[in-house]
Amino acid sequence: MPPSKRRKLAPDEDREHDSDHDNEQRDDGPSRDSSPDSTTLEGSDDAPPKTFKDLGIVENLCDACESLGYKTPTPIQEKSIPLALQNRDIIGLAETGSGKTAAFVLPILQALLEEKKPSPFFGLIMAPTRELAAQIGQAVDALGSTISVRSTVIVGGLDIVPQQIALGKRPHIIIATPGRLLDHLEKTKGFKLSSLRYFVIDEADRLLDMDFGPILDKLLKFLPRERRTFLFSATMSSKVESLQRASLRDPIRVSVSARYQTVATLQQNYLFIPFMYKDMYLVYLVNEFAGRSTIIFTRTVYETQRIAILLRSLGFGAIPLHGQLSQSARLGALSKFKSKSKDILVATDVAARGLDIPKVDLVINYDIASDSKSYIHRVGRTARAGRSGQALSIITQYDLELYQRIEAAMGKKLEEYETDREEVMVFRERVEEAQRHSRNEMKKLMDDRGNRGSVLKGRRPAKGAGPGKRRHDGMDAEEG
């Protein structure tokens, strides 16, 4: 790139803030003006812009977009970026995979570039999970590569000391999960957000579903009143409405999401089978689609681990991903799946939203999703960016009512996936042997780790509860 195009950020100067000024900048409650009549932009009949330059993005950042293969803006980027460049607070409603990250990162980087002496802690991006935070951090570094932006990712599950050192270097942008950020604000000496100019809440509905509401309330008290706030969410629930009133000022709502809608390139089918044959049909499907990049969704941590062991014992390259793995194990699982060294990811809903897994051929719902919104997010892992994909849901006698509600919410009836029972039963002996092996392995895991607080201990269905009444795995929330 020619030197004339590569403008870098000037070194920041340490800015002193006395305690009185810091107190003046803190928001002591939901006092921000949030107009109930905030503007909503649903779309326009005008021809969409052809390039990011048409949206007002400067040349340096356009070059970064081009190097990353971002050829034309997505709908959420088209609608939100020009408004963000006009210094408006924004509520962006868009489904996962719609390009939300660039929609809020580019305006922050452009504002940072326009500063003569860029301040530290210029932007804060809040994410519900560690994986999503790490992914956003990569996007910030990639999009900001031409302007030498400094960023750091602050999440739970990792040593806090290196994070304190990283914050001591006064990065321009922080990407964080709520719990760990609050820990730093309360305990890390000298760390303040009084100079913050941009605050982003990504996947707001999921943050609130994971009961981060009280933590967010505390965090808002550490942020200055004079800031721009971008709130992005797949849905607009009553909880998100409350968060909007507490954190945004006269926002413009930009909506490009279509509730309960799946893309046309996604082929969806179901299999209606007896509960006792679930494992057998799963193995049959995995064998039918051998070599394809596949995500298998389960309802609990226990089943995620068990299914991964079962498939591995049958020679399939399966790896588990759930919220109770260590951070290094979770990132390792994602890395192996993305690099295709493992072609099957067995996961709880921790993998249903936000993660950037470019190419997934098949999604199998081993356990049906708990509601239509979760179903949409799960199957949305495949058929992304115009590619085709397939989703198969295993439905038993215990799932029928829930599955019918999902169909009703989507407004469509799915076709049954045709199978040959005799071909399925060929796997019976091998699957039963693999089931015994996986049960023994799970018992060892629970016995070995149970005394140290194993997350798998007690993950079986409660006694007396039917297979269709197993409780949702509530242990998948991030600890921040």
Side-chain angles (χ1 to χ4, degrees):
M1 182 182 301
S4 60
K5 287 187 177 182
R6 187 185 295 274
R7 179 187 164 191
K8 296 188 177 182
L9 299 175
D12 61 271
E13 296 181 355
D14 289 344
R15 300 187 177 186
E16 299 294 334
H17 298 275
D18 61 36
S19 58
D20 291 337
H21 178 71
D22 286 341
N23 289 333
E24 287 174 3
Q25 292 295 313
R26 290 188 178 183
D27 185 354
D28 295 322
S31 59
R32 299 184 55 141
D33 176 26
S34 59
S35 168
D37 300 321
S38 59
T39 308
T40 301
L41 298 181
E42 293 289 347
S44 170
D45 293 331
D46 295 335
K50 302 276 186 200
T51 66
F52 284 94
K53 187 175 181 180
D54 296 328
L55 302 181
I57 297 298
V58 297
E59 189 174 358
N60 277 9
L61 297 178
C62 286
D63 290 340
C65 290
E66 186 176 346
S67 68
L68 293 172
Y70 299 171
K71 296 181 180 178
T72 56
T74 66
I76 189 63
Q77 292 164 1
E78 287 180 20
K79 295 180 176 65
S80 62
I81 287 176
L83 296 170
L85 296 178
Q86 295 170 22
N87 291 322
R88 294 298 303 268
D89 281 11
I90 295 171
I91 301 169
L93 299 180
E95 66 276 5
T96 184
S98 60
K100 298 194 304 294
T101 303
F104 57 72
V105 169
L106 286 171
I108 295 175
L109 292 177
Q110 184 147 321
L112 190 60
L113 187 60
E114 291 169 353
E115 292 276 301
K116 291 183 179 179
K117 294 181 179 179
S119 61
F121 311 129
F122 187 84
L124 168 64
I125 302 170
M126 195 72 60
T129 65
R130 303 167 188 169
E131 290 81 9
L132 181 55
Q135 183 175 295
I136 294 171
Q138 291 169 0
V140 169
D141 291 341
L143 289 168
S145 60
T146 62
I147 61 172
S148 301
V149 68
R150 299 197 310 275
S151 69
T152 190
V153 176
I154 302 297
V155 298
L158 297 175
D159 189 350
I160 199 169
V161 175
Q163 295 178 357
Q164 291 173 328
I165 294 171
L167 290 172
K169 294 179 180 178
R170 301 166 72 80
H172 301 113
I173 298 175
I174 299 171
I175 305 97
T177 49
R180 178 52 62 92
L181 180 68
L182 185 61
D183 286 344
H184 281 288
L185 285 167
E186 292 178 339
K187 300 172 185 176
T188 298
K189 188 176 180 180
F191 175 49
K192 300 174 183 177
L193 291 174
S194 53
S195 61
L196 188 76
R197 293 274 305 280
Y198 285 85
F199 177 44
V200 179
I201 307 171
D202 194 19
E203 301 279 7
D205 52 346
R206 191 174 181 194
L207 270 168
L208 296 170
D209 286 344
M210 294 164 69
D211 296 325
F212 279 128
I215 294 178
L216 287 173
D217 289 341
K218 290 181 181 179
L219 286 173
L220 289 174
K221 296 178 181 179
F222 287 92
L223 307 186
R225 290 191 179 101
E226 294 303 318
R227 66 174 192 264
R228 294 272 66 82
T229 303
F230 305 149
L231 184 154
F232 284 83
S233 180
T235 58
M236 198 66 187
S237 64
S238 57
K239 288 182 179 179
V240 177
E241 289 276 7
S242 298
L243 181 59
Q244 168 204 330
R245 290 192 292 272
S247 59
L248 282 83
R249 177 183 299 173
D250 189 23
I252 292 183
R253 184 179 300 184
V254 178
S255 176
V256 297
S257 60
R259 198 177 181 191
Y260 307 129
Q261 187 175 3
T262 54
V263 296
T265 54
L266 174 64
Q267 182 181 340
Q268 302 172 77
N269 300 94
Y270 71 92
L271 294 80
F272 184 53
I273 63 167
F275 176 81
M276 64 183 294
Y277 295 138
K278 279 183 78 172
D279 286 355
M280 219 169 303
Y281 274 84
L282 176 65
V283 171
Y284 168 80
L285 292 174
V286 169
N287 188 67
E288 284 285 294
F289 291 90
R292 307 270 186 96
S293 176
T294 303
I295 299 181
I296 299 170
F297 281 106
T298 65
R299 188 175 292 121
T300 65
V301 167
Y302 182 94
E303 283 293 81
T304 298
Q305 203 78 34
R306 184 188 72 83
I307 291 296
I309 294 171
L310 182 143
L311 292 176
R312 283 203 298 263
S313 69
L314 290 168
F316 297 105
I319 190 165
L321 175 66
H322 53 73
Q324 296 307 300
L325 291 172
S326 68
Q327 179 66 1
S328 60
R330 290 161 70 171
L331 293 175
L334 275 175
S335 176
K336 289 176 182 177
F337 186 64
K338 285 183 176 182
S339 66
K340 300 184 180 178
S341 65
K342 299 289 184 183
D343 56 4
I344 300 172
L345 185 70
V346 188
T348 57
D349 281 328
V350 74
R353 289 176 62 174
L355 301 184
D356 181 23
I357 305 173
K359 193 173 185 299
V360 177
D361 301 311
L362 174 68
V363 166
I364 299 176
N365 288 309
Y366 176 84
D367 292 320
I368 191 64
S370 57
D371 54 51
S372 51
K373 184 173 75 172
S374 299
Y375 174 85
I376 294 295
H377 287 304
R378 284 183 177 189
V379 301
R381 294 291 88 202
T382 185
R384 296 166 74 85
R387 289 187 288 264
S388 61
Q390 189 159 5
L392 300 172
S393 297
I394 297 175
I395 310 300
T396 73
Q397 64 269 36
Y398 303 105
D399 307 315
L400 196 55
E401 183 181 346
L402 179 55
Y403 176 71
Q404 288 173 336
R405 288 205 298 269
I406 291 173
E407 277 192 330
M410 292 193 300
K412 66 166 70 174
K413 291 280 187 183
L414 304 186
E415 293 184 6
E416 188 168 6
Y417 183 79
E418 291 187 8
T419 58
D420 186 321
R421 190 175 185 278
E422 290 185 5
E423 290 183 7
V424 176
M425 290 301 138
V426 167
F427 294 94
R428 182 168 189 162
E429 187 175 334
R430 292 181 60 204
V431 169
E432 288 176 349
E433 183 181 341
Q435 286 174 326
R436 287 191 291 271
H437 173 73
S438 63
R439 282 195 296 269
N440 290 335
E441 288 297 309
M442 290 302 296
K443 187 176 186 303
K444 287 179 186 177
L445 276 175
M446 292 163 65
D447 290 344
D448 291 347
R449 303 178 188 177
N451 292 333
R452 301 197 300 270
S454 169
V455 298
L456 301 174
K457 195 171 181 63
R459 296 312 296 137
R460 295 179 184 273
K463 233 178 183 180
K469 296 182 179 179
R470 288 175 295 176
R471 62 192 178 95
H472 179 71
D473 176 23
M475 297 291 287
D476 276 339
E478 301 298 323
E479 55 276 78

